[in-house]
Amino acid sequence: MDFIELFRESFPSLLSGLTVTLKITALALVIATLLGLLFGLMSISNNKLLMFIARIYVDLIRGTPLIVQAFFIYFGLPTALDFKINAFSAGVAAVGINAGAYMVEIFRAGIMAVDKGQMEAARSLGLSYRKSMAKIILPQAVRKMIPAFINQFIISLKDTSILSVIGIRELTQSGEIIIASNYRAFETWGMIGIMYFVIIMLLSYTARSLERRLVI
């Protein structure tokens, strides 16, 4: 079997795995964005308890490997709390919670990068802290954070390869299944690497383009 024939036979399975990878990444980034916004606002709060909770979340998640978090969500929690969760949902949760800890710092840095005078001006006009943050500060902060968001998307995309350990048939496990049937590891892993490379380069180019246009 030459490489062209191998590629033709393997591509549908690899494309299916890539689709699962992208779905997990996209859903996880939605979760991560919500967690990042919530804990990011808590981390800059004047309330010491909220700041402490945000710091615990960030330190705990960033201080443990994603593979341990995936095992904990897929095997540990269901055993302890007596419920069932499918591998896909566990994978989305694991990547989302993991990325959320990094998004906290992205949100915090983005908000802190906005001139303090913006908040003072908004408050002097009679806006509450919540409205000032929602209408004045966050729109400016998000503009600065978009390149970092895309960089986190790239990192999370690569992190999904770890989820093969809990049985999710994403791109990496699709490749492992193909190799088990044809023993063409070099060519198969080469195709997988190229698929990751193309997607990540497209995202990297988008990040650089947005950075030139949006970061001020």
Side-chain angles (χ1 to χ4, degrees):
M1 182 187 297
D2 60 21
F3 181 78
I4 299 300
E5 186 179 351
L6 175 64
F7 178 79
R8 187 182 301 115
E9 291 186 0
S10 303
F11 185 72
S13 179
L14 293 178
L15 184 61
S16 176
L18 178 61
T19 300
V20 173
T21 292
L22 293 174
K23 285 181 179 179
I24 291 173
T25 307
L27 292 172
L29 261 294
V30 172
I31 295 173
T33 300
L34 295 175
L35 290 174
L37 176 59
L38 173 62
F39 286 98
L41 291 173
M42 290 170 62
S43 70
I44 62 171
S45 169
N46 292 324
N47 187 310
K48 292 185 177 180
L49 176 61
L50 295 180
M51 292 175 64
F52 176 74
I53 293 172
R55 178 49 54 188
I56 289 296
Y57 167 65
V58 171
D59 289 346
L60 179 63
I61 299 302
R62 294 178 66 171
T64 55
L66 175 58
I67 190 171
V68 173
Q69 296 163 15
F71 280 139
F72 181 77
I73 293 172
Y74 188 54
F75 296 113
L77 285 178
T79 300
L81 303 179
D82 192 26
F83 72 94
K84 294 183 179 180
I85 184 172
N86 61 57
F88 183 87
S89 298
V92 170
V95 176
I97 292 171
N98 181 271
Y102 296 90
M103 293 290 280
V104 170
E105 295 303 307
I106 292 173
F107 271 102
R108 186 186 66 79
I111 293 171
M112 297 297 290
V114 177
D115 191 283
K116 293 181 179 180
Q118 297 288 317
M119 175 63 78
E120 294 172 357
R123 296 304 300 274
S124 68
L125 292 174
L127 294 177
S128 65
Y129 176 84
R130 182 176 299 180
K131 287 186 177 181
S132 299
M133 184 63 69
K135 295 184 177 182
I136 306 298
I137 305 302
L138 280 178
Q140 297 181 65
V142 168
R143 183 183 178 89
K144 299 174 183 291
M145 291 185 284
I146 287 177
F149 285 163
I150 297 177
N151 287 333
Q152 184 58 51
F153 189 97
I154 293 170
I155 293 169
S156 297
L157 176 68
K158 292 188 288 185
D159 283 347
T160 59
S161 62
I162 294 174
L163 301 179
S164 62
V165 299
I166 60 173
I168 297 178
R169 191 168 177 175
E170 40 67 67
L171 182 54
T172 299
Q173 190 177 78
S174 296
E176 292 174 347
I177 292 171
I178 292 171
I179 292 169
S181 65
N182 62 25
Y183 303 103
R184 301 283 294 275
F186 179 81
E187 296 92 334
T188 304
W189 286 123
M191 287 187 288
I192 292 169
I194 290 171
M195 293 178 78
Y196 274 118
F197 179 79
V198 169
I199 296 298
I200 289 169
M201 284 301 99
L202 288 174
L203 290 171
S204 297
Y205 175 80
T206 302
R208 289 193 294 269
S209 178
L210 285 172
E211 188 170 10
R212 288 193 297 268
R213 295 180 181 183
L214 299 179
V215 174
I216 56 176

